[in-house]
Amino acid sequence: MSRDKVIQVGVIGAGRIGALHARHLATRVPGAAVVAIADINVAAAQAVADQWRIPVIAADYTELLAHPDIDAVAICSSTDTHARIIQEAAAAGKHIFCEKPIDFDLNKIDQALAAVDSAGVKLQIGFNRRFDANFRRVYELVHAGKMGTPHILRITSRDPAPPPLAYLKVSGGIFLDMTIHDFDMARYLMGSEAEEIYAAGGVMVDPQIGDVGDIDTAVITLRFASGAVGVIDNSRQAVYGYDQRVEVFGSAGMVTVANNTPDSHVYSNVDGVHTAKPLYFFLERYTDSFIAEMSAFIKSIRQDTMPPVTGQDGRVPVVMALAAQKSYQENRPVRLSEIT
Amino acid sequence: MSRDKVIQVGVIGAGRIGALHARHLATRVPGAAVVAIADINVAAAQAVADQWRIPVIAADYTELLAHPDIDAVAICSSTDTHARIIQEAAAAGKHIFCEKPIDFDLNKIDQALAAVDSAGVKLQIGFNRRFDANFRRVYELVHAGKMGTPHILRITSRDPAPPPLAYLKVSGGIFLDMTIHDFDMARYLMGSEAEEIYAAGGVMVDPQIGDVGDIDTAVITLRFASGAVGVIDNSRQAVYGYDQRVEVFGSAGMVTVANNTPDSHVYSNVDGVHTAKPLYFFLERYTDSFIAEMSAFIKSIRQDTMPPVTGQDGRVPVVMALAAQKSYQENRPVRLSEIT
Amino acid sequence: MSRDKVIQVGVIGAGRIGALHARHLATRVPGAAVVAIADINVAAAQAVADQWRIPVIAADYTELLAHPDIDAVAICSSTDTHARIIQEAAAAGKHIFCEKPIDFDLNKIDQALAAVDSAGVKLQIGFNRRFDANFRRVYELVHAGKMGTPHILRITSRDPAPPPLAYLKVSGGIFLDMTIHDFDMARYLMGSEAEEIYAAGGVMVDPQIGDVGDIDTAVITLRFASGAVGVIDNSRQAVYGYDQRVEVFGSAGMVTVANNTPDSHVYSNVDGVHTAKPLYFFLERYTDSFIAEMSAFIKSIRQDTMPPVTGQDGRVPVVMALAAQKSYQENRPVRLSEIT
Amino acid sequence: MSRDKVIQVGVIGAGRIGALHARHLATRVPGAAVVAIADINVAAAQAVADQWRIPVIAADYTELLAHPDIDAVAICSSTDTHARIIQEAAAAGKHIFCEKPIDFDLNKIDQALAAVDSAGVKLQIGFNRRFDANFRRVYELVHAGKMGTPHILRITSRDPAPPPLAYLKVSGGIFLDMTIHDFDMARYLMGSEAEEIYAAGGVMVDPQIGDVGDIDTAVITLRFASGAVGVIDNSRQAVYGYDQRVEVFGSAGMVTVANNTPDSHVYSNVDGVHTAKPLYFFLERYTDSFIAEMSAFIKSIRQDTMPPVTGQDGRVPVVMALAAQKSYQENRPVRLSEIT
């Protein structure tokens, strides 16, 4: 494919994340055009299409898969549809960007990945945080050897407020819905796979979250194949805003990253010294990383290179989440090899 | 004018800043479209036009002024042409965004502003830093009374490297070329006009800058009508990058803003603790403020409101720069009323 | 006892920590005088005595216990002697300051505490970090309700370099020697007892540490009776210096404390922005807290109040350390109730 | 003199600063003993003597000068007595530590310095900030060439609250009373003498300060012999506490130091992120530097070396303050050579 070709993308799903990717593809991603959007809620698709002058609107995403001019699809529909649409899109020869997680079921994931393999299309999973400037800098420093051998990884990942209960009921639970990003980050930064996971936590934020069978606070210990140890802490409610920090400590040094704020003001008065809260949530915090991940996807198509977040990168965090879930339920460390 | 109307903009000048505004108008500014670009260097205009699919290209900017579909122009040509083009654009009934400074000559500025007034078009001057999140936050806190009565203003404004000597020769000197932004910032933040200015400084970075009759380092004291005192320090070369800080101190508190960095990493090793340098220069540092100023200009047209940086806001910093120049030459405090 | 009385203290042990307490008692602790020092290494005792003009020097600490003018002893001898000396000092009617840990054996601890109880003397255990300005501030904010209900506790505690192997062989292992301070801090800050502990870790810094049966890196998860979860990470070697941070996160907010540095300089050059490393180790970092803990001990004697760190406060962290040890060995969460 | 000799010091003046030096000499300064204290207010002298068991108390300081066992005096009496006591102490063969300023009158200073010279005793002036860890670090980095050639110096020095009006009336004015410390700091850090000074400012904090003929806010520009430019800003009232910062910017980099705080806590809640205010005032902020300066004085006596802050170091800042005063009164830059 010519590197000058503009990649024609169809967006499947016109919800919050689909609308976001459509906007970026229309205005911020070099070499891409968004030519179609599909949603069973046609009004939602229409609204996005109107804003970015997207010519094709469909209630049924299969229209996009059948469209000869579409090179790639961005799957932004509900999680339970991801694996099936991946298979169908692969069969239709479309390159695929798919939001995380691929599925909660490893068999379905494996079928989807097999379909991608046999079709020879590209698949990139939406672990956008890898493209954030802070985390990328940590990655670069770790992989340049600046920490020496990594010994300890710490990830803090706390949302500003819990999602609606209706969402939580179908979310797969905190490990599959929220920690999964941190599991990906752990693999990305440490360059070593987790072998065993121990999860502690509970319902501390809202008893209704417990009522739907989930927890809202967790501390997860990871043992890596390298011997290193990691710990992730999660909360569904940090009242001061989205808290997204990591730290890698090793034989030669340590690197940490702080939260991003809307501005750098420091106000001093008789009461103390005051600065801005972190950016509120992922839409504010990760705008640039969403643009960068989509740009990387488009670039991998145009340059015919491996997408930077592969199907396997989509599968492993699901295994980790399932291990964490089992660990929490049984209150014991669980080896990833137990999860099949 | 309907608030839904898309404002058709013609960009005059396809150099670095013209290309930047064209890109923003094409991709990031709501309610605007860039429909024409003019430069005596037609190849430069062509290159920008190609990138953003701008239909009209002209060697002569008067073609844009004559174009009936163009609502507004962005004047990004060399400073010596600003005043004349403002007059002509006003006569043509176009709304005007003009890069700073309007001119080095107060008579020409006054003629230009008179032309704008009599034509009844809108004029906004490109003091983009007012639209930066940090400085805007300082403004908001000061104007919300959080400092009480402002007593002391401090502005640090240092470039990462001097411009080419060829540029310096026609730049008007450090006060008109560089400090002018800080003069605008001083007025913006303090809500009071400077009455007297004292400038010290010299050639410290590069003797060649002295050879062309300019200086490269300056410390400027401002006395405001309110009684407050301000100090600006400038250098043409901060080896660690673009240094853009302000501080307002008053009876009830103090606010400062720090430099922006590409990421928030903190790396600790045997040698110390290390963080990122400031963003390199204004293109990196002020991207968002360039977008915000142009969005504000477009919005003021669509909503028929006063532009947030007026012609008078363009004139006063020139007076301040001329006073600073005179102060430096005569080594004495100079009242703004001496400058006519 | 009169509040004006100067408490006459005998220091038992003239090693590093004994010399430190002798210096503080001689020069920095109000209302105290150091009147005797004992060490089987008489030359060491002599050296300390010479420096602070301590009149009584003994090879045998029992001379101090028999001395009628001595009100209190500071036990700074090796850990294996603590429990016995506490019992003897209590029998002699001396108030007791004892370095941590009391002992590695819970029975011996219980006997010592019983002796203290029946003698009615005061006993304070040397968990000095409670008296550090940073940690005390965290304590105050947590106990003032500023975090709401605490949900997550994070403690990072890393030494700049491992102790000598000879020391490690008799240290009791990382949990009893190093983490014990963090276990105390966890109880102090959270106001809730740990019920279950899970420890992961390994030998990452130096294989010789493994050869003597210890580990050098650990991540320990704590479940508190309140439902909260804590995590401690330890390393025997942080090449950038002593790393002592805590964070308490709760329903209403979060508080963190950073490391202390010798100065606050920030140096920016072409390579980046550089600041000072943390203070090197506990002698530099905790000078003020050592003075404050001893002042609090003396004050509790003079004012006849409960010492701020009780015998029970000395016992519980040992239970926690033994649980962590068992957890690490058996790779499972261990309830504190299993430790007897 | 033997390096093991304990220097016997007499303190002249038992006010706040005299009591402070007495305490330090009694408890914190190696190689020194405080053996006498004099104050016309004998009760004040008695109170200090009681606390530190100082054997000799005098209403008349000349008793100390006549005392054969006293090696050195610390002059902590009112400024108008400094020059005379220096002359008398020198004549009595005592080494002299004298609080700043020596005097407001250059002739008196010169007579005092001449007396010191001819007596061959040591004289150290109490510019304690040179001994502060932050400023010393700046000094070290600048003098190690880390800034390259210094171009710009910035000093912020703001008190938390104005002194009583009764004090202000005899203080000599803001430049001689407050800025004098900053003038010393400027010389210390830049390694170049100021040649010209321009002072702006006014009465902004409290009109009563104007009523006694003083100002409370100032911005002072310094031109150094090296060509560098400096700026000092002063306020008598920073409501957030003592504000003591410096910045040196040069051809190879920049160094800044921040304020010291009682602890490093960072508290995040729904309202923002909050940290501690600076330490309240000089007694809290400069405790360690007061100890270090006195230790350096004692050491210079014991080792017979030049004191680190000489009589000339005491004289020049007075010249600078007089130049600043004249500049403010005449609203023009004043050369130091004008002051005689």
Side-chain angles (χ1 to χ4, degrees):
Chain A
M1 181 175 292
S2 159
R3 293 194 181 195
D4 293 337
K5 183 179 185 317
V6 171
I7 304 300
Q8 313 288 313
V9 184
V11 174
I12 299 174
R16 188 165 59 173
I17 194 76
L20 177 147
H21 285 305
R23 180 173 74 242
H24 293 162
L25 284 161
T27 62
R28 308 289 299 276
V29 175
V34 52
V35 296
I37 184 156
D39 201 299
I40 45 173
N41 178 345
V42 183
Q46 183 74 52
V48 174
D50 286 351
Q51 195 164 12
W52 309 112
R53 307 182 196 183
I54 302 171
V56 177
I57 299 161
D60 185 346
Y61 70 89
T62 58
E63 288 184 36
L64 273 56
L65 302 185
H67 196 302
D69 293 346
I70 289 179
D71 302 304
V73 291
I75 305 177
C76 307
S77 49
S78 62
T79 298
D80 59 315
T81 67
H82 288 178
R84 184 183 70 237
I85 303 181
I86 288 174
Q87 283 183 269
E88 295 171 0
K94 307 303 188 197
H95 299 298
I96 303 160
F97 176 91
C98 183
E99 273 304 320
K100 64 91 213 168
I102 303 178
D103 201 282
F104 303 149
D105 183 296
L106 292 178
N107 286 333
K108 288 190 185 169
I109 292 174
D110 290 340
Q111 286 166 24
L113 300 191
V116 167
D117 272 357
S118 69
V121 295
K122 297 186 188 300
L123 170 65
Q124 181 174 322
I125 306 301
F127 284 123
N128 61 291
R129 294 183 196 173
R130 293 188 179 205
F131 299 86
D132 174 73
N134 286 352
F135 301 130
R136 178 158 301 263
R137 189 78 184 112
V138 172
Y139 172 89
E140 288 167 357
L141 288 166
V142 170
H143 286 74
K146 296 288 187 182
M147 303 318 125
T149 305
H151 292 171
I152 298 172
L153 166 73
R154 300 201 315 165
I155 297 177
T156 286
S157 175
R158 301 169 188 157
D159 288 352
L165 286 172
Y167 174 89
L168 283 176
K169 283 179 189 166
V170 298
S171 69
I174 193 169
F175 301 115
L176 276 159
D177 180 58
M178 185 174 166
T179 324
I180 197 165
H181 271 295
D182 308 308
F183 288 138
D184 177 63
M185 186 56 60
R187 298 178 66 235
Y188 174 64
L189 295 180
M190 295 296 276
S192 175
E193 296 291 345
E195 291 188 333
E196 192 177 89
I197 287 179
Y198 172 70
V203 179
M204 304 186 204
V205 171
D206 184 351
Q208 292 183 96
I209 293 174
D211 295 344
V212 302
D214 203 353
I215 60 174
D216 52 39
T217 305
V219 171
I220 303 115
T221 305
L222 313 174
R223 294 178 189 255
F224 292 92
S226 66
V229 186
V231 62
I232 296 164
D233 73 87
N234 289 144
S235 170
R236 284 289 195 185
Q237 184 170 290
V239 294
Y240 50 87
Y242 201 35
D243 195 346
Q244 299 280 293
R245 291 172 286 157
V246 308
E247 173 176 322
V248 178
F249 168 84
S251 58
M254 168 177 72
V255 63
T256 66
V257 286
N259 285 308
N260 288 5
T261 54
D263 59 67
S264 70
H265 87 274
V266 181
Y267 172 54
S268 302
N269 67 0
V270 288
D271 298 323
V273 177
H274 317 280
T275 58
K277 289 191 288 184
L279 291 168
Y280 182 65
F281 208 174
F282 70 95
L283 292 180
E284 294 82 9
R285 172 68 180 79
Y286 288 121
T287 298
D288 287 343
S289 76
F290 283 119
I291 297 167
E293 72 169 352
M294 195 55 80
S295 299
F297 173 63
I298 295 300
K299 190 177 165 194
S300 81
I301 298 173
R302 296 178 90 192
Q303 303 194 349
D304 195 16
T305 55
M306 178 82 90
V309 191
T310 66
Q312 194 60 20
D313 291 330
R315 184 186 194 277
V316 177
V318 175
V319 176
M320 296 169 81
L322 295 171
Q325 216 167 48
K326 191 178 188 72
S327 170
Y328 181 75
Q329 284 156 1
E330 303 181 5
N331 193 26
R332 66 171 181 89
V334 168
R335 295 189 69 79
L336 268 67
S337 56
E338 297 182 45
I339 309 300
T340 50
Chain B
M1 183 177 289
S2 159
R3 293 195 181 193
D4 291 339
K5 182 177 185 317
V6 171
I7 305 300
Q8 314 287 315
V9 183
V11 174
I12 299 174
R16 188 165 59 172
I17 196 75
L20 177 146
H21 285 306
R23 179 172 77 242
H24 293 161
L25 285 161
T27 62
R28 306 291 297 279
V29 175
V34 53
V35 296
I37 184 156
D39 202 302
I40 46 174
N41 177 347
V42 182
Q46 183 75 52
V48 174
D50 286 352
Q51 196 165 8
W52 308 112
R53 309 183 193 180
I54 300 170
V56 177
I57 298 162
D60 184 346
Y61 69 89
T62 59
E63 289 184 36
L64 274 55
L65 302 184
H67 197 300
D69 293 346
I70 289 179
D71 302 305
V73 290
I75 305 177
C76 307
S77 49
S78 62
T79 298
D80 60 316
T81 66
H82 289 178
R84 185 182 70 237
I85 303 181
I86 287 175
Q87 284 182 267
E88 294 171 358
K94 307 303 186 194
H95 299 298
I96 304 161
F97 175 92
C98 181
E99 273 304 321
K100 64 90 213 168
I102 302 178
D103 201 282
F104 304 148
D105 182 295
L106 292 178
N107 287 331
K108 288 190 186 170
I109 292 174
D110 290 339
Q111 287 166 23
L113 300 192
V116 167
D117 272 356
S118 69
V121 296
K122 296 185 189 299
L123 169 66
Q124 181 173 323
I125 306 301
F127 283 123
N128 61 291
R129 294 184 196 172
R130 293 189 180 205
F131 299 86
D132 173 72
N134 287 352
F135 300 129
R136 179 160 297 267
R137 189 80 183 109
V138 172
Y139 172 89
E140 289 167 356
L141 289 166
V142 170
H143 285 75
K146 297 288 187 183
M147 302 319 125
T149 304
H151 292 170
I152 299 173
L153 166 73
R154 300 202 314 167
I155 298 177
T156 286
S157 175
R158 302 171 188 155
D159 288 351
L165 287 171
Y167 174 89
L168 284 176
K169 283 177 191 167
V170 297
S171 69
I174 192 169
F175 302 114
L176 276 160
D177 181 58
M178 184 173 167
T179 323
I180 197 166
H181 272 296
D182 309 309
F183 288 138
D184 176 63
M185 186 58 61
R187 297 178 68 234
Y188 173 63
L189 295 180
M190 295 296 275
S192 175
E193 295 293 344
E195 291 189 332
E196 191 178 89
I197 288 180
Y198 174 69
V203 179
M204 305 188 202
V205 171
D206 183 353
Q208 292 184 95
I209 294 174
D211 294 346
V212 301
D214 203 354
I215 59 173
D216 52 37
T217 304
V219 171
I220 303 114
T221 304
L222 313 174
R223 294 180 190 251
F224 293 92
S226 67
V229 186
V231 63
I232 297 164
D233 73 87
N234 290 144
S235 171
R236 283 289 192 184
Q237 184 170 289
V239 294
Y240 50 86
Y242 201 35
D243 195 347
Q244 297 281 292
R245 292 172 285 157
V246 308
E247 173 176 323
V248 178
F249 168 84
S251 58
M254 169 179 71
V255 62
T256 66
V257 287
N259 285 309
N260 288 4
T261 54
D263 59 66
S264 70
H265 88 273
V266 181
Y267 172 54
S268 303
N269 68 359
V270 289
D271 298 323
V273 176
H274 317 281
T275 58
K277 287 191 288 186
L279 290 167
Y280 182 66
F281 208 174
F282 70 96
L283 292 180
E284 294 82 8
R285 172 68 180 81
Y286 288 122
T287 298
D288 288 343
S289 76
F290 282 121
I291 296 167
E293 72 170 353
M294 196 55 81
S295 300
F297 173 61
I298 296 299
K299 191 175 164 196
S300 80
I301 299 173
R302 296 177 91 193
Q303 302 195 349
D304 194 17
T305 55
M306 178 85 90
V309 191
T310 67
Q312 193 60 20
D313 291 329
R315 185 188 195 276
V316 177
V318 175
V319 176
M320 297 168 80
L322 294 172
Q325 219 167 45
K326 189 177 189 71
S327 170
Y328 181 75
Q329 284 156 359
E330 305 181 5
N331 192 28
R332 65 170 181 93
V334 169
R335 296 190 67 80
L336 267 68
S337 56
E338 297 182 44
I339 308 299
T340 50
Chain C
M1 178 175 294
S2 159
R3 294 195 179 193
D4 292 339
K5 184 180 184 315
V6 171
I7 305 301
Q8 312 288 312
V9 183
V11 173
I12 299 174
R16 187 164 59 173
I17 194 76
L20 176 145
H21 285 308
R23 181 173 74 242
H24 293 161
L25 285 161
T27 61
R28 308 289 298 278
V29 174
V34 54
V35 296
I37 184 157
D39 201 302
I40 45 173
N41 178 348
V42 183
Q46 184 74 52
V48 174
D50 286 352
Q51 195 165 9
W52 308 112
R53 309 182 193 180
I54 302 171
V56 179
I57 299 161
D60 185 346
Y61 70 88
T62 59
E63 288 183 38
L64 273 55
L65 302 185
H67 198 301
D69 293 347
I70 288 179
D71 302 306
V73 291
I75 306 177
C76 307
S77 50
S78 63
T79 298
D80 60 317
T81 68
H82 288 179
R84 184 182 73 236
I85 303 180
I86 287 174
Q87 284 182 269
E88 295 171 358
K94 307 302 188 196
H95 299 297
I96 303 160
F97 175 91
C98 183
E99 273 303 321
K100 65 91 216 169
I102 303 178
D103 201 281
F104 303 149
D105 181 295
L106 292 178
N107 286 333
K108 289 188 186 170
I109 292 174
D110 290 339
Q111 287 166 22
L113 300 192
V116 167
D117 272 357
S118 69
V121 296
K122 296 185 189 303
L123 169 65
Q124 181 173 324
I125 305 303
F127 283 123
N128 61 290
R129 294 183 195 173
R130 291 189 180 205
F131 299 86
D132 174 73
N134 287 352
F135 301 131
R136 180 158 298 266
R137 189 80 184 110
V138 172
Y139 172 88
E140 288 167 357
L141 289 166
V142 170
H143 286 73
K146 295 290 188 182
M147 303 319 125
T149 305
H151 292 170
I152 298 172
L153 167 72
R154 300 203 313 168
I155 297 178
T156 286
S157 176
R158 301 169 189 157
D159 288 351
L165 286 172
Y167 173 89
L168 283 175
K169 282 178 190 166
V170 299
S171 69
I174 193 170
F175 301 115
L176 276 159
D177 181 59
M178 185 174 167
T179 324
I180 196 166
H181 271 296
D182 308 309
F183 289 139
D184 177 63
M185 186 57 62
R187 297 180 66 235
Y188 174 63
L189 294 180
M190 295 296 276
S192 175
E193 296 292 346
E195 291 189 332
E196 192 177 88
I197 287 179
Y198 173 70
V203 179
M204 305 187 202
V205 171
D206 183 353
Q208 291 184 96
I209 294 174
D211 294 346
V212 302
D214 203 355
I215 60 173
D216 53 36
T217 305
V219 170
I220 304 115
T221 305
L222 312 174
R223 295 178 188 253
F224 293 91
S226 66
V229 186
V231 64
I232 297 164
D233 72 90
N234 289 143
S235 171
R236 284 289 193 183
Q237 184 170 290
V239 295
Y240 50 87
Y242 201 35
D243 196 347
Q244 299 279 291
R245 291 172 285 158
V246 309
E247 173 176 321
V248 179
F249 168 84
S251 58
M254 168 178 72
V255 62
T256 66
V257 287
N259 285 309
N260 288 4
T261 54
D263 61 64
S264 70
H265 87 273
V266 181
Y267 172 53
S268 303
N269 68 0
V270 288
D271 298 322
V273 176
H274 317 281
T275 59
K277 287 191 290 185
L279 290 168
Y280 182 67
F281 207 175
F282 69 96
L283 291 181
E284 293 82 9
R285 172 68 179 80
Y286 288 122
T287 298
D288 288 341
S289 76
F290 283 121
I291 296 167
E293 73 170 351
M294 195 55 80
S295 299
F297 173 62
I298 296 301
K299 190 176 165 195
S300 81
I301 298 173
R302 296 178 91 193
Q303 304 194 347
D304 194 17
T305 55
M306 178 82 92
V309 190
T310 67
Q312 194 60 21
D313 290 331
R315 184 186 196 276
V316 176
V318 175
V319 176
M320 296 168 81
L322 295 171
Q325 218 167 48
K326 191 179 187 71
S327 170
Y328 181 74
Q329 285 157 359
E330 303 181 5
N331 192 26
R332 66 173 181 88
V334 169
R335 295 188 69 78
L336 267 68
S337 57
E338 297 181 45
I339 308 299
T340 50
Chain D
M1 179 176 293
S2 160
R3 293 196 181 195
D4 292 340
K5 182 176 186 318
V6 171
I7 304 301
Q8 312 288 312
V9 183
V11 174
I12 299 174
R16 189 166 56 174
I17 195 76
L20 177 146
H21 286 306
R23 180 172 76 242
H24 293 161
L25 285 161
T27 62
R28 307 290 297 278
V29 174
V34 54
V35 296
I37 184 157
D39 201 302
I40 46 173
N41 178 347
V42 183
Q46 185 74 53
V48 175
D50 286 352
Q51 196 166 9
W52 309 112
R53 306 182 195 182
I54 302 171
V56 177
I57 298 161
D60 185 346
Y61 69 88
T62 60
E63 289 183 38
L64 274 55
L65 302 185
H67 198 301
D69 295 346
I70 288 179
D71 301 307
V73 291
I75 305 177
C76 308
S77 48
S78 61
T79 298
D80 59 316
T81 67
H82 288 179
R84 185 182 69 236
I85 303 181
I86 288 174
Q87 283 182 268
E88 296 171 357
K94 308 303 187 195
H95 299 297
I96 303 160
F97 175 93
C98 183
E99 273 302 323
K100 64 90 211 165
I102 303 178
D103 201 281
F104 303 149
D105 182 296
L106 291 178
N107 287 333
K108 289 189 186 169
I109 292 174
D110 290 339
Q111 286 167 25
L113 299 191
V116 167
D117 272 357
S118 68
V121 297
K122 295 185 188 301
L123 169 65
Q124 181 173 321
I125 306 302
F127 283 124
N128 61 290
R129 293 184 195 171
R130 292 190 180 204
F131 300 87
D132 174 72
N134 287 352
F135 301 129
R136 181 160 296 268
R137 189 81 184 108
V138 172
Y139 172 88
E140 289 167 357
L141 289 166
V142 169
H143 286 74
K146 297 289 188 183
M147 303 319 124
T149 304
H151 292 170
I152 299 173
L153 166 73
R154 299 203 315 167
I155 297 179
T156 287
S157 176
R158 301 169 189 157
D159 289 350
L165 286 172
Y167 174 89
L168 284 176
K169 283 178 191 167
V170 298
S171 69
I174 193 169
F175 301 115
L176 276 159
D177 181 60
M178 184 173 167
T179 324
I180 196 165
H181 272 295
D182 308 308
F183 288 138
D184 177 63
M185 186 57 61
R187 297 178 67 234
Y188 174 63
L189 295 180
M190 295 297 276
S192 176
E193 296 293 345
E195 291 188 333
E196 192 178 88
I197 288 180
Y198 172 69
V203 180
M204 305 188 203
V205 170
D206 183 352
Q208 292 184 93
I209 294 174
D211 293 345
V212 301
D214 203 355
I215 59 172
D216 52 37
T217 304
V219 170
I220 304 115
T221 304
L222 313 174
R223 294 178 189 253
F224 294 91
S226 67
V229 186
V231 63
I232 297 165
D233 73 88
N234 290 145
S235 171
R236 283 288 192 185
Q237 183 168 291
V239 294
Y240 51 86
Y242 202 34
D243 195 346
Q244 298 281 291
R245 291 172 285 158
V246 308
E247 172 175 321
V248 178
F249 167 84
S251 59
M254 169 179 71
V255 62
T256 66
V257 287
N259 285 309
N260 288 4
T261 54
D263 60 65
S264 70
H265 87 272
V266 181
Y267 172 54
S268 303
N269 67 2
V270 288
D271 298 322
V273 176
H274 317 281
T275 59
K277 287 190 290 186
L279 290 169
Y280 181 66
F281 207 174
F282 69 97
L283 292 180
E284 295 80 10
R285 172 67 181 79
Y286 288 122
T287 298
D288 288 343
S289 77
F290 282 121
I291 296 167
E293 74 169 350
M294 195 55 80
S295 300
F297 173 62
I298 296 300
K299 191 177 165 196
S300 81
I301 298 173
R302 298 178 88 193
Q303 303 194 350
D304 195 17
T305 54
M306 178 83 92
V309 190
T310 67
Q312 194 60 21
D313 290 331
R315 184 188 195 276
V316 177
V318 175
V319 177
M320 297 168 81
L322 295 172
Q325 221 166 45
K326 191 178 187 71
S327 170
Y328 181 74
Q329 285 156 359
E330 303 181 4
N331 192 28
R332 66 171 180 91
V334 169
R335 295 189 70 79
L336 267 67
S337 56
E338 298 182 44
I339 308 299
T340 50

